[in-house]
Amino acid sequence: SDTHAHLAGGRAAAAIVESVLQPSSVSAVPIFEAENSCDPGVAAKGQSQCVRHLEAITRQARVARAQLDELPPSARVFTCGGDCGVEVVPVARASRLWPGLAVVWFDAHADLNTPASSPSGHFHGMPVRTLLGDGPPELLQLLPSRLEPSQLIYVGARSLDPPEQDYVDSHAVTLLSAEPASSLPDRLSAALRKGRFGAAYVHVDLDVLDPSSFPHVCCPAEGGLATSTLVAAVAAVGSAVPVVAGAGLTECCGDPEPSRPELEAVARALAELLLPRPDPPPPAPMSLSPPAWPAHYRPIAHEPFGDGGQATLDTLARYVEADQPVVLTGADIVDVERWSDNAKVEALLGDKAV
């Protein structure tokens, strides 16, 4: 079944992540089985709201919420799925602790359906819309915060249902295409800088990869990223924001051993985002020495102010007559402001001051 396939793949990914983040605390959320009680064909017609296995999903989310509530606010969480539905509680927690953070969603799909718009009734196509406040009420009441569309940055999404595309277009959601691959890290960094985000949560659904790179996913879509491109884009997030508040890796289905190098590269890149960063080097000491002017520059001796600065003014006049540039330092500017005839000084210097 999909459940057991996700369990095997998630365990393989979690083992890699744990090896990078040692020492770390690992918590497991149990899997609850439930009867499916909805007809997705009816939901697809918009006649009712349908979410397959909603009771089990809600119980899992409730357990995850309880586990996360026990953590200190400083704890940053790495979530291994499972499908993308496991991300709703961790992302909502990160959003509450780091208000306004960016949510970078690496995924072939937008996961923006509502229960009414979903053609399948599977919740893994609804987590982002739920985080935006348009999901099943049973789950919404478990979320400590909501996202705004401006917080979303999609990377590699290429298989959107029409209602999802309408939402992206009408809310001006940022969507970065997989091509050109060479510029993706720079385009992602630019989007994060443009939004002036102080933190980010990074979600990776492995179906963002092209099936030729990693076929062990439940919903493959052609035209995805190469593994090296994904790794570089993930690293770009860490360079573009001060804090990575959390990360998630989902949709590793079945036994990924034939593609273990690809899984390990992606899992390590994500996990390294949560490693402590080295302290920045101390700033260079400020130099208190005077500026090194070119050799042909000559300082002008400052005269007492008793005569209104007339002696200094006369010296400036000689430089101007000789068509020599005049450099005003901070002290000179103060002197000019104290001269009794500022209009005369400005008329004298004109554009000769450098």
Side-chain angles (χ1 to χ4, degrees), residues 270-296:
L270 270 174
E272 287 171 359
L273 292 177
L274 302 188
L275 292 175
R277 300 189 184 187
D279 294 332
M286 293 182 62
S287 174
L288 299 180
S289 59
W293 300 112
H296 64 279

Side-chain angles (χ1 to χ4, degrees), residues 27-80:
S27 297
V29 176
I31 295 176
F32 299 101
E33 299 289 349
E35 293 295 328
N36 182 41
S37 59
C38 77
D39 179 359
V42 173
K45 299 175 183 178
Q47 297 175 359
S48 69
Q49 293 193 347
C50 168
V51 181
R52 291 174 179 265
H53 310 299
L54 179 58
E55 180 185 351
I57 293 168
T58 302
R59 292 175 67 190
Q60 289 172 328
R62 188 176 294 115
V63 172
R65 172 69 191 269
Q67 291 180 351
L68 293 179
D69 284 348
E70 294 178 357
L71 298 176
S74 60
R76 294 179 296 158
V77 175
F78 195 113
T79 302
C80 278

